[in-house]
Amino acid sequence: MSLLVTGSIGIDSVITPHGEATEVLGGSAVYFGFAAAAFTPVRLVGVVGEDFPDQFRDLLASDRIDLAGLETRSGSKTFRWTGKYSPDMNDRETLDVQLNVLGEAGPKVPAAFADSKVVFLANTHPALQRELLAQLDGGCLSVCDTMDLWIETEADELRRTLRAVDGVIINDGEARQLTGKGNLVEAGEAVLDMGPRFVVIKKGEHGAMLLTADSVTTIPAFPTKNVKDPTGAGDSFAGGMLGYLDQCGQSNTASLRRALVRGTVAASFTIEDFSLNRIREVAADDAEARVEQFTQMLRID
Ligand code: AMP
C-alpha cells in the first residue's frame, strides 16, 4: 500500500512540567510518519533548510519511511517552534515560531509518489494543502488537519479544502471555532455539511469522536500516568489512524472505528517521552499489544 504525508519537519524546543527538550526533531509530518510506520510504509514530503542537522536526518532514516520527497532547500532555514505546557498539560502556549522555509513555496511530490492511495495533509495553509493534493493521481483517500490561524484568517480557502478532502481530523476547539457550535456532535455534523465524508474530533485526555453521515462513535483516551510531553499527540493520532487505514485498504465506518483505536494507541506512545524518543521505537507488535489491551478495556458485557 502507499501512504503519503506532507507537513512540517522542524526543530522544536519544548517545556513541560517534567522537563525541557531544546532543539529536538519535531514537526507534524515527522510525528505522523513515525506513528504510521508502525502500521504501513510511509512516504514523507516536506522541505527543510540547509541548517537541518545531519543527526536529525539520521533519525528520520528508517526502512519504513521513504525520504525521496524530503527537499533540503539551499539558502533557506528550517521551521522552528517553541512551546510551553500548562501544569496539567492540557494547554500549551507557543513561545516562538519561525516559519522560515514553511513560509516559502511548498514541496513537490516526487512522480513516484503520485500513485499514493492514502494522503494526509498535515496542518499548513489550506491553499497549499490543495496544491499538494493536485499533484497526486486522484482516487486516493485524502484527509486534512488545520489550526485556529487558518480558521480565522483563511476561512474561504479552508472551505475549498474541506470540499476537496474525504476526511478531516481536528481538535475540539478547532471544531467549535470552525462551526460556531458549542455541542461537539452538532459541530461534527456541521463539518460534515462542509464536504468531508468523515470527521474525527480529538479531545485530548478525553478521547476522540468519529462522525460519518449515519454514525457517531466516541472512545476514551488510553489511560496512562506516564505523560512527559504531549507534543505531537494529535499528529501521531492521525498517523496511527491513517497508517491502519492504508494497511487494511478500506475506509468504511467499521474500518474507521478500528482506525480510531490505532490513532488513540499511537498518541499514547508519543506522549510517554520527549520528541520522537518513544514513538520511534514502537514496532508493529508493540502497537498491536496495546490495541489489544485497549479493546479489552473497552469491552463491557
Ligand atoms: P501537535 O502537538 O500534534 O499539534 O504537533 C506539534 C508539532 O507541530 C510540533 O512538532 C511543531 O513543530 C509542529 N507545529 C507547531 N506549529 C506549527 C505550525 N504553525 N505549522 C506547522 N507545524 C507546526
Side-chain angles (χ1 to χ4, degrees), residues 128-140:
L128 201 58
Q129 290 177 315
R130 289 201 310 284
E131 201 180 286
L132 260 304
L133 206 51
Q135 297 176 53
L136 300 169
D137 288 347
C140 59

Side-chain angles (χ1 to χ4, degrees), residues 151-172:
I151 296 170
E152 202 181 309
T153 63
E154 296 289 351
D156 291 343
E157 289 288 356
L158 181 57
R159 291 292 180 116
R160 270 181 222 126
T161 297
L162 292 175
R163 282 198 292 275
V165 295
D166 299 289
V168 56
I169 303 177
I170 51 179
N171 68 36
D172 44 5

